[in-house]
Amino acid sequence: MTRHTTRALLGTGAVLLTSTLVLTGCGSGFSGDEPAGDSDGLSSSDDALTVLIGSSGDAETEAVQSALDAWSEESGTDVDLQVASDLAQELSQGFAAGEPADLFYLAPEQMAGYASNGSLQAYGDELANKDDFYPSLVENFTLDGTFYCAPKDFSTLALVINTQMWADAGLTDADLPKTWDDLASVAQKLTTPEHVGLAFGAEYQRVGTFMAQAGGGLVDDGTAIADDQANVDALDYVKTHLADGTFAFAKDIGAGWGGEALGKGLAAMVIEGNWITGAMANDFSSIGYTVAELPEGPGGQGTLQFTNCWGMAADSPNQQAALDLVEYLTSADSQLAFSKAFGPMPSITSAADQWTTDNPDLAPFLAGADYAQFPPNQDGAADVISDFNAQLESLKTGDPEQILGTVQSNLEAIVE
């Protein structure tokens, strides 16, 4: 069992696919025309750069500003950092006005829409550190064989356990669940009149881990697979243990999310991402907890990953400098500094050993990178997942086949 104390303060950074994004505007994208700039197709000028981010708080803003200042001093190119109060809206407005930021945080579910209307510059293959990114993250930002943008960092889901409740139930490291049967067994032992054994959000972004462990998912190689039997089995498993009271949705036990359920003692275990560490340190510092990898299901190990990339505007007049800045921001030194400041895991494999040395208690989160699935990145996927989440709220009394059948139909409408 990986033991964690609240000495380390890490920030939050979950990416949730729960909003409908309106993608407006159109960049030139240099489509159909010979691009300006150097032979690799990127524009070049003496213009300053503008960077637009959505920040989790002062720690993230200050860390990004510090990195931009260091790069600017080194490169001689000025950079203006803009912190959005509503990133999706301000990004859309910038494109619509024909004045997008040169670089910006971009979520996977936004990428397809902006790519299709020519707003994005696909620069992934130009990155000097292209081969250093985790393959699943590269795939996350690849559409129709084109690698669009550099993953800036990522998070995964793992099992987070209240160590006192674990010990009170007579459990030891040898009892860490390796299979679904193990998970059901320890959840039953941990369930008391005061708290449930396992809690998680009533959403695909948590329940989807069971789908992955069953060997399922939502989209595979461009094909919708929501109604596959593996997914039915996964939802049946979750439904069974929601019904017997050993599993619970966080909202059903009076918590807004898994971290609150763990922190308030409403659940002995939760399925959450590494952003939970900041919440535990800030709001529930008296609670001791440990992190373990999620158990295997019938299809093997499975978890979900969440990430953003550094999007680049097709209309940026200084893409060469923007590319250099992205390579700086995604270097091992920069990403390890970001991780220390506000919590995300580095998106490059060369930083893994140092990150694990710095954060040994959180190693199970990074281990998940080897088998993580990512939510669909097709245009319209956010709406499909939002509808799926609404249906999952009634899973305890619902019909998994019917729920997944609806998701399948919705996915088929957006997946070619």
Side-chain angles (χ1 to χ4, degrees):
M1 179 179 286
T2 302
R3 287 182 167 77
H4 179 85
T5 66
T6 54
R7 295 191 308 271
L9 174 57
L10 300 180
T12 59
V15 178
L16 300 182
L17 310 181
T18 57
S19 61
T20 300
L21 299 167
V22 180
L23 305 180
T24 60
C26 180
S28 67
F30 306 116
S31 299
D33 299 308
E34 187 65 26
D38 294 350
S39 59
D40 59 9
L42 299 182
S43 63
S44 181
S45 72
D46 294 328
D47 288 13
L49 297 178
T50 301
V51 175
L52 178 67
I53 70 170
S55 179
S56 60
D58 290 344
E60 181 169 359
T61 300
E62 291 168 6
V64 174
Q65 183 67 68
S66 178
L68 296 181
D69 289 344
W71 178 83
S72 184
E73 183 176 355
E74 179 180 296
S75 68
T77 301
D78 291 336
V79 186
D80 176 40
L81 177 64
Q82 299 177 352
V83 181
S85 57
D86 185 329
L87 179 60
Q89 181 183 60
E90 292 179 38
L91 186 59
S92 178
Q93 290 172 340
F95 280 119
E99 298 180 350
D102 298 277
L103 291 174
F104 40 86
Y105 284 6
L106 184 68
E109 70 271 20
Q110 295 174 282
M111 181 176 63
Y114 284 130
S116 67
N117 68 20
S119 295
L120 295 184
Q121 177 70 25
Y123 68 89
D125 288 335
E126 306 296 337
L127 289 160
N129 57 347
K130 172 187 174 182
D131 294 336
D132 199 8
F133 294 100
Y134 287 98
S136 63
L137 295 176
V138 172
E139 185 182 357
N140 213 159
F141 292 106
T142 297
L143 285 174
D144 299 324
T146 299
F147 178 28
Y148 271 84
C149 49
K152 74 178 190 70
D153 50 42
F154 78 114
S155 300
T156 65
L157 300 175
L159 192 66
V160 187
I161 303 167
N162 181 308
T163 50
Q164 187 60 58
M165 291 180 181
W166 186 266
D168 289 346
L171 299 170
T172 69
D173 286 3
D175 298 303
L176 282 174
K178 302 298 184 185
T179 67
W180 278 5
D181 286 345
D182 294 343
L183 183 63
S185 177
V186 297
Q188 190 277 325
K189 293 176 182 178
L190 289 165
T191 298
T192 72
E194 290 75 36
H195 58 256
V196 71
L198 174 66
F200 43 88
E203 56 187 354
Y204 159 74
Q205 291 89 342
R206 301 296 181 272
V207 177
T209 59
F210 295 100
M211 295 165 63
Q213 293 155 18
L218 291 180
V219 176
D220 182 36
D221 197 24
T223 300
I225 60 167
D227 62 355
D228 278 14
Q229 186 60 46
N231 295 322
V232 176
D233 293 344
L235 264 59
D236 276 336
Y237 173 80
V238 174
K239 177 180 177 178
T240 295
H241 297 296
L242 289 173
D244 68 21
T246 59
F247 291 6
F249 288 142
K251 69 178 185 63
D252 292 335
I253 55 174
W257 65 295
E260 185 179 4
L262 190 74
K264 289 185 173 180
L266 303 173
M269 302 183 295
V270 297
I271 296 173
E272 276 301 336
N274 40 301
W275 52 81
I276 196 175
T277 57
M280 296 302 291
N282 289 330
D283 303 325
F284 307 108
S285 59
S286 64
I287 302 297
Y289 65 95
T290 62
V291 180
E293 289 182 67
L294 290 167
E296 293 185 10
Q301 287 183 291
T303 188
L304 298 182
Q305 70 183 28
F306 304 98
T307 183
N308 284 329
C309 79
W310 286 107
M312 183 186 294
D315 286 338
S316 169
N318 200 0
Q319 293 167 339
Q320 288 284 354
L323 177 68
D324 186 73
L325 175 54
V326 169
E327 290 173 348
Y328 182 88
L329 293 171
T330 57
S331 68
D333 286 346
S334 292
Q335 292 208 57
L336 288 168
F338 292 154
S339 180
K340 183 176 181 180
F342 59 96
M345 296 187 297
S347 58
I348 51 175
T349 59
S350 61
D353 287 347
Q354 186 60 55
W355 187 88
T356 301
T357 298
D358 293 342
N359 304 278
D361 301 333
L362 306 181
F365 287 117
L366 189 59
D370 292 335
Y371 50 83
Q373 288 187 6
F374 55 87
N377 59 6
Q378 286 80 8
D379 192 18
D383 290 338
V384 174
I385 291 175
S386 180
D387 180 75
F388 187 17
N389 289 347
Q391 295 186 75
L392 283 173
E393 291 182 1
S394 60
L395 177 60
K396 185 175 179 179
T397 57
D399 181 352
E401 287 192 21
Q402 183 177 357
I403 292 172
L404 292 166
T406 300
V407 179
Q408 178 73 16
S409 297
N410 290 341
L411 281 174
E412 288 174 348
I414 65 169
V415 176
E416 296 181 2

